[in-house]
Amino acid sequence: MTASHTNQLRHRAAALGVWLLGALAMWALDGRVDLANLSMLLVMSAALASLWLPVPASMLTSLLAVLAFNWFFVPPRGSFAIDLRQHALLLGSMVALSWVSSILLARLRWQAEAARRHAAQAEALRSLADRLRDTAQPAESAPALAQALQPLSSMPVQLLCLLDRLPARNDDGAALIHGQPDADGHDGLWACLRAGQAFGPGTGRYEELPAWYLPMRGRRTSFGAARIALPSAADTGQREQAQALCDLMGQALERRATERATQRAHDDAEGQATRNALLAAISHDYRTPLATILGAASALQEQGDRLTSAQRRRLLDTVMDETRALSRFTDNTLQLARLDAPGVQLKLDWESAEELVGAVLRRVRQRRAVEPEEGGPRLRARIEPELPLLRCDALLLTQLLENLVDNALKYAGTSGVEILVRREGVERPQGRPASSPPPDGVTETWGGPAFPCDKLVLAVRDRGPGVPPAWRQRIFEVFQRGQELDRQRPDGSAARGAGVGLAACRAIARAHGGEMRYRARSHGGSSFECWLPVEVQPGEGPMP
């Protein structure tokens, strides 16, 4: 037995109880009060019983009660004969009053029921609106919408919510489908979504369907659809309530789609601005060295016979230096563009940190006439022993270290530059702290056992003026240089470049699953650190 049937039986039992109490009261008062007062008991019983009975049943019950009153209480008793002058008006007034009270109370009952229904509908709308307001992914709130629609449906509600833009063809990957629609229901949901119109009984479209197909409408188009199997008795008010709930979801999906479109437009604008800035930087930073190369080559060509060997040597050195600068700038720019592209594939292999640092030292010393500083080398390296192999792209990591060394040499003056490779979170062997000076030589190592580690740190350190606090986060962004940094160069000259070197270093580090960091040294200077994850080599377990 359903809940509605149980309620009907309960209401009928209440009405029957009222009539029984009224009849007992009239029997008890018969002969003690006059006929008019007894009739008031009948009218009152009819009014109270109409609180639980529908209008037709209440009117029929009142008529039968008046007839019974005539039979049992109106003289001559036991007969339906009445005195037209004495009792006809009384009995007619009783019937009229009973019917009027039944109609009025039934109307009040209907209004109260409508008020309760409207309050429940408003609460359902408010609850769903609150849920959609607090979520960043409205499509994930489809179960909440289905729960709000379920009282209107005779079967589980089925929903289709777009995740982003409407695909050219029906593609379930572009939408979230709640429920398990059959083939007809699936096609109906997509058709309703694309048409942006309701289908089903009472909608004026496809009236023969056994369910409502309601679109989730935004301000301009639809962003989903709902399939609601019709209950046995569905009315226009129920469909309007269901449509209002669907429109709430549609508006939330439209807001999310607008946010995505805005973000895409913003990303496109940023990409276009980056491309424009890249072209402008390339044109500027290529023009100056090319003009220098052209001037030196022209001087050698036109005045070569009149130049001394030292002058020719200086011009050739200028050509070589500017050509190397162009090569580095081109490499950094190309790597930055390549590594920022989605789905980039690196040429990974197992490499040792010693070989990477050694290759950088050789290339830097070949390119620069690095003279040892008094009391020690100007460019040196310190590498912990027994470091694990890195799975990396050796060409990219040597480019990263080379960029960092070149930048450090520009600003360090005569203080020296150090390449440090260490393990993060590993205890140093006792006897000498990590900051103590190395023995005579270029490369320093520490003795002691090997320890397990998660990160390998490649750091390039100097004792130069350091980076101002305002620029410590911005220096890794593309095209960010800062005039304050140029003014801090030891020779006071302005460094050329578009500000892509450190940005390329960060892109290389992130492509390997690591990160670039800047750390100000306690006694002055800078430490640019590349933190890289350490992977376990195939066939080897974790280090004990």
Side-chain angles (χ1 to χ4, degrees):
M1 184 178 295
T2 63
S4 60
H5 291 162
T6 302
N7 288 334
Q8 289 178 4
L9 291 177
R10 188 180 296 113
H11 292 168
R12 291 171 183 174
L16 179 61
V18 168
W19 279 115
L20 289 176
L21 289 176
L24 291 175
M26 285 186 286
W27 281 110
L29 295 176
D30 185 23
R32 299 181 182 180
V33 297
D34 58 15
L35 197 60
N37 289 324
L38 286 178
S39 67
M40 291 298 99
L41 290 175
L42 186 145
V43 172
M44 183 179 66
S45 299
L48 292 176
S50 63
L51 291 173
W52 294 282
L53 293 176
V55 174
S58 179
M59 295 176 68
L60 178 61
T61 305
S62 299
L63 178 60
L64 293 177
V66 170
L67 293 176
F69 183 83
N70 181 31
W71 179 270
F72 291 105
F73 298 104
V74 176
R77 301 190 180 199
S79 171
F80 289 111
I82 59 174
D83 185 348
L84 294 180
R85 291 179 302 172
Q86 295 292 329
H87 304 129
L89 181 59
L90 175 64
L91 296 176
S93 298
M94 292 172 62
V95 173
L97 287 174
S98 299
W99 285 3
V100 168
S101 62
S102 298
I103 294 173
L104 291 177
L105 289 175
R107 182 177 178 83
L108 289 175
R109 188 171 66 248
W110 177 83
Q111 290 177 346
E113 181 64 28
R116 286 193 295 269
R117 185 172 62 252
H118 292 160
Q121 293 174 352
E123 177 61 23
L125 289 170
R126 185 200 62 78
S127 177
L128 181 61
D130 290 344
R131 176 73 177 269
L132 295 175
R133 181 194 60 203
D134 296 335
T135 180
Q137 300 293 338
E140 296 178 358
S141 299
L145 174 60
Q147 183 178 2
L149 292 173
Q150 192 58 54
L152 308 176
S153 176
S154 60
M155 296 178 63
V157 175
Q158 298 154 3
L159 305 175
L160 184 148
C161 302
L162 283 182
L163 297 176
D164 198 353
R165 291 175 288 191
L166 181 65
R169 296 183 178 180
N170 296 349
D171 181 8
D172 291 348
L176 184 148
I177 298 179
H178 177 83
Q180 297 179 347
D182 56 16
D184 291 339
H186 179 274
D187 294 341
L189 286 171
W190 278 104
C192 179
L193 166 61
R194 294 187 179 279
Q197 296 177 337
F199 302 154
T203 64
R205 303 175 188 88
Y206 304 101
E207 298 272 353
E208 69 280 2
L209 291 174
W212 284 328
Y213 289 85
L214 304 179
M216 300 178 188
R217 301 175 300 192
R219 297 185 63 183
R220 294 181 297 274
T221 184
S222 296
F223 292 85
R227 182 182 185 275
I228 305 172
L230 291 181
S232 57
D235 56 28
T236 303
Q238 290 177 318
R239 190 180 75 249
E240 291 175 349
Q241 168 69 3
Q243 185 64 69
L245 291 168
C246 291
D247 288 346
L248 276 179
M249 175 64 81
Q251 292 165 11
L253 293 171
E254 183 180 38
R255 287 194 300 271
R256 180 58 180 163
T258 302
E259 291 173 359
R260 289 195 183 98
T262 302
Q263 185 62 43
R264 284 193 294 266
H266 182 267
D267 294 342
D268 292 343
E270 282 192 343
Q272 185 62 43
T274 302
R275 287 190 291 271
N276 294 339
L278 179 62
L279 292 175
I282 290 175
S283 63
H284 176 270
D285 286 275
Y286 269 70
R287 187 180 296 114
T288 301
L290 286 176
T292 304
I293 293 172
L294 181 60
S298 299
L300 288 172
Q301 182 182 31
E302 297 174 1
Q303 303 179 12
D305 296 337
R306 289 175 287 181
L307 298 176
T308 65
S309 59
Q311 291 174 328
R312 287 196 295 271
R313 179 68 179 178
R314 284 197 299 271
L315 290 174
L316 289 173
D317 288 342
T318 299
V319 172
M320 294 295 294
D321 290 342
E322 297 297 335
T323 303
R324 293 191 187 101
L326 280 177
S327 177
R328 289 195 301 276
F329 178 69
T330 302
D331 290 341
N332 287 331
T333 304
L334 292 177
Q335 293 296 358
L336 184 62
R338 182 173 75 90
L339 295 176
D340 282 344
V344 62
Q345 297 292 330
L346 304 182
K347 297 179 180 179
L348 300 177
D349 202 352
W350 295 100
E351 306 287 348
S352 68
E354 292 87 349
E355 293 180 359
L356 295 176
V357 173
V360 172
L361 291 176
R362 287 192 300 271
R363 293 176 62 175
V364 172
R365 286 171 175 164
Q366 290 174 0
R367 188 171 65 251
R368 294 174 175 269
V370 181
E371 296 295 338
E373 61 177 334
E374 184 178 356
R378 186 182 174 198
L379 177 62
R380 61 190 179 189
R382 296 201 295 171
I383 304 175
E384 285 187 355
E386 302 183 23
L387 292 175
L389 296 179
L390 279 174
R391 182 165 173 78
C392 63
D393 189 317
L395 181 62
L396 290 180
L397 279 191
T398 54
Q399 181 180 346
L400 179 149
L401 288 174
E402 198 170 342
N403 284 341
L404 296 179
V405 170
D406 285 340
N407 282 344
L409 290 172
K410 291 177 185 178
Y411 296 97
T414 59
S415 62
V417 175
E418 177 184 70
I419 303 176
L420 171 65
V421 184
R422 64 180 175 85
R423 293 166 292 184
E424 172 60 20
V426 178
E427 295 183 1
R428 307 284 180 184
Q430 296 182 356
R432 176 162 41 81
S435 59
S436 62
D440 294 337
V442 173
T443 303
E444 177 187 10
T445 61
W446 290 285
F451 295 92
C453 60
D454 296 326
K455 300 289 184 181
L456 200 66
V457 182
L458 309 175
V460 176
R461 313 194 301 178
D462 62 65
R463 289 295 182 183
V467 178
W471 282 89
R472 290 177 183 175
Q473 296 298 326
R474 299 167 59 187
I475 54 176
F476 292 107
E477 298 178 7
V478 67
F479 308 129
Q480 296 292 331
R481 288 189 47 80
Q483 298 179 356
E484 298 91 339
L485 304 181
D486 288 342
R487 287 197 295 266
Q488 293 178 0
R489 295 194 69 194
D491 56 5
S493 61
R496 294 198 308 268
V500 297
L502 290 177
C505 290
R506 183 174 67 174
I508 292 172
R510 289 181 174 177
H512 285 83
E515 187 57 78
M516 281 297 304
R517 301 179 184 178
Y518 172 83
R519 181 173 59 85
R521 304 183 70 183
S522 58
H523 298 290
S526 303
S527 178
F528 288 88
E529 302 175 353
C530 174
W531 292 57
L532 296 176
V534 176
E535 300 181 18
V536 178
Q537 299 181 50
E540 296 185 6
M543 301 175 66

